[in-house]
Amino acid sequence: MNEMNITAAKYLADNGENIAIEFIVDGKIMHVSVEATGNRHYAEIMRQVDAGELTIEDAD
Amino acid sequence: MALSTIGTNQIASEAVTVPKVADQVLSSRNLIINGAMQVAQRGTSFADLNGYGLDRFGVGSSDDGAITVTQDTTVPSGEGFKNSMKFDVTTADTSLGAAQFYQFFQKIEGQNVAHLMYGTSNAKTITLSFWCRSNKTGTYVTTFMNNAADRFNPNNFTISSANTWEKKTITVTGDQSGTWLTTNGIGMYVIWNLALGSDFDDGTNGTWGASDYGSGGNVNFLDSTDNEFYITGVQMEVGDTVTPFEHRSFSDELQRCMRYYEKSYPYSVAPGTAISYPGNLGITVRGMDEETSGQRYITNTMRVEKRADPANTFYDDAGNAGKVTTFNNAGTGTNNVGIALVVTQPSMIGCGPNNSAIWGFGFFYESDAEL
């Protein structure tokens, strides 16, 4: 199936709580909720994190 | 037939058959969305696509070639279609590796195939039909697969005559084994394999098994830049009888597609297109009176509720992805402003900018909840 080339990821926070992830896939900036368990982008980010292939940077 | 002439003989069960009435009254029998390739919200041409192009149809590949996917107007004559999906090889791969492949697919939501009762003794027979055309004659394979990718049914089909539209019909008995999701996840994959390396040919043609996408002997569509493949009229229905293609209205099909993807741009404008006048932004708020707080954001109800939380791309009016446009008190826009806050749910989308004092901001969006 199709592969996603995710090259960077960073949390966005509101009042100190992570609410979303900003990530770059195939060169395009996208955003997904940290609760988006049924989303294929979120699933792929978490798969890559679990595999040690991607690190989500802390929020500013 | 005049109403007065309709009697017992006309409505007897043996007189009323599916082929006689299917094209008129049996609606929503096609489990495939956008089977006539009408809807193309993302655009109409996709070079070396690895993801979604025309709505609901995705491409997955691992090869050394390249294919451009387009929405085309070449269609079978006399069938009422307006569009097809075209695959045009732009870089050839004449020696496909064992682990290489090129597939396109539609992932059907589990809730939409729950009535097939797959994984139970009541699993229903299904029939897939489609029109296809290619200069590359030979054997191709279509695969039905579950979410866990541990139940496969590969079915070969043959393009017999070059550059000629042919209608293909594949009937598959229901799978009584395996786990088939009936949730908002992937209920069933329907896959067309245009090239398939030898690592994927362990299946048995027309038979359910734990593997594989194919059973061997398929063409390598990637072997020449002369190759083109067209498809339209994709229909999957319950039972062993192929019925005429269910032509749905454009609006109906677009609504179905938007459960998985929508954009705030006008339909004819591809996401990321620069819009010359900032006031044309899909979502805009003004009058924020030099607002600087972290709570400056706006939310918007999406046109169609998504099947799950989407991943979103925000665009400023110059078409920069992941950015918004902000405005000063004179209404002058600043592009390429980053995003500080994102609020999203299956039915709602919103964000806020991360620069300093603003009087307003706006953006377009793409919202993607594809399976």
Side-chain angles (χ1 to χ4, degrees):
Chain A
M1 285 295 130
N2 51 317
E3 299 175 356
M4 295 182 197
N5 180 26
I6 298 173
T7 51
K10 183 178 184 178
Y11 283 112
L12 297 183
D14 183 27
N15 291 324
E17 180 182 355
N18 291 333
I19 58 168
I21 301 169
E22 180 175 278
F23 62 101
I24 299 175
V25 56
D26 297 325
K28 185 166 81 171
I29 301 173
M30 297 183 71
H31 295 83
V32 68
S33 164
V34 294
E35 298 176 348
T37 53
N39 182 276
R40 64 194 171 96
H41 292 91
Y42 179 83
E44 178 62 15
I45 290 168
M46 291 300 118
R47 186 197 69 76
Q48 292 191 18
V49 169
D50 290 344
E53 301 166 0
L54 179 70
T55 299
I56 306 175
E57 294 179 35
D58 292 338
D60 291 332
Chain B
M1 180 183 294
L3 268 179
S4 60
T5 65
I6 297 176
T8 306
N9 289 341
Q10 282 71 39
I11 61 174
S13 60
E14 64 268 26
V16 181
T17 61
V18 168
K20 291 177 182 174
V21 300
D23 198 28
Q24 283 75 42
V25 298
L26 299 181
S27 65
S28 296
R29 65 190 187 282
N30 189 0
L31 301 176
I32 297 291
I33 298 173
N34 199 26
M37 312 301 170
Q38 299 161 276
V39 183
Q41 294 185 83
R42 297 173 180 83
T44 56
S45 182
F46 308 90
D48 204 14
L49 177 66
N50 199 351
Y52 282 88
L54 273 60
D55 278 61
R56 301 280 19 249
F57 284 93
V59 167
S61 65
S62 174
D63 57 72
D64 297 321
I67 289 178
T68 293
V69 179
T70 55
Q71 184 185 45
D72 203 85
T73 55
T74 303
V75 294
S77 177
E79 297 295 328
F81 297 109
K82 183 181 176 186
N83 296 110
S84 62
M85 181 164 56
K86 177 185 178 183
F87 297 84
D88 181 11
V89 178
T90 56
T91 302
D93 182 354
T94 57
S95 57
L96 195 70
Q100 293 185 314
F101 61 89
Y102 188 95
Q103 306 169 317
F104 68 93
F105 52 81
Q106 182 159 135
K107 303 174 186 177
I108 303 176
E109 186 173 340
Q111 296 178 117
N112 293 347
V113 288
H115 62 297
L116 300 182
M117 294 182 281
Y118 274 40
T120 78
S121 59
N122 295 315
K124 292 185 177 179
T125 295
I126 54 174
T127 295
L128 177 74
S129 56
F130 55 90
W131 287 88
C132 58
R133 165 183 166 152
S134 179
N135 62 299
K136 178 75 173 176
T137 59
T139 303
Y140 296 75
V141 60
T142 298
T143 314
F144 302 89
M145 186 178 81
N146 68 347
N147 178 64
D150 57 10
R151 297 298 295 168
F152 295 80
N153 193 326
N155 284 265
N156 290 337
F157 67 93
T158 301
I159 291 186
S160 306
S161 302
N163 301 315
T164 305
W165 281 103
E166 300 176 12
K167 186 171 185 177
K168 305 301 175 186
T169 301
I170 296 167
T171 296
V172 177
T173 56
D175 187 14
Q176 300 185 10
S177 300
T179 299
W180 295 80
L181 298 186
T182 58
T183 64
N184 63 346
I186 301 169
M188 179 184 291
Y189 289 84
V190 182
I191 305 165
W192 290 259
N193 303 277
L194 298 185
L196 208 52
S198 58
D199 285 357
F200 306 109
D201 62 6
D202 293 334
T204 301
N205 188 42
T207 303
W208 287 106
S211 67
D212 208 335
Y213 292 106
S215 56
N218 304 120
V219 301
N220 173 16
F221 175 72
L222 283 157
D223 67 1
S224 170
T225 55
D226 292 336
N227 291 346
E228 298 173 342
F229 182 95
Y230 300 85
I231 186 168
T232 193
V234 182
Q235 178 156 289
M236 193 177 88
E237 54 198 312
V238 178
D240 60 5
T241 302
V242 61
T243 65
F245 183 80
E246 178 189 351
H247 288 282
R248 294 193 282 245
S249 72
F250 180 84
S251 171
D252 185 3
E253 209 71 81
L254 177 60
Q255 289 290 311
R256 293 171 192 250
C257 291
M258 286 199 295
R259 177 168 171 78
Y260 307 92
Y261 173 92
E262 73 169 66
K263 62 181 181 180
S264 63
Y265 292 90
Y267 176 79
S268 60
V269 177
T273 301
I275 302 294
S276 59
Y277 177 58
N280 286 337
L281 284 158
I283 298 173
T284 307
V285 61
R286 302 289 185 99
M288 298 180 75
D289 196 17
E290 204 172 5
E291 178 61 48
T292 59
S293 85
Q295 291 300 310
R296 51 188 186 173
Y297 65 93
I298 53 176
T299 60
N300 182 64
T301 301
M302 284 192 275
R303 294 171 176 173
V304 174
E305 180 165 339
K306 299 290 160 289
R307 70 162 187 93
D309 280 340
N312 305 306
T313 308
F314 301 95
Y315 293 93
D316 64 19
D317 71 34
N320 295 308
K323 308 294 181 182
V324 299
T325 301
T326 59
F327 304 104
N328 63 17
N329 60 345
T332 303
T334 299
N335 286 322
N336 221 23
V337 177
I339 292 167
L341 187 65
V342 170
V343 184
T344 183
Q345 297 173 3
S347 63
M348 182 263 285
I349 185 170
C351 72
N354 68 2
N355 70 347
S356 56
I358 60 171
W359 279 259
F361 72 101
F363 55 87
F364 288 102
Y365 68 80
E366 284 182 283
S367 183
D368 184 340
E370 271 291 357
L371 287 158

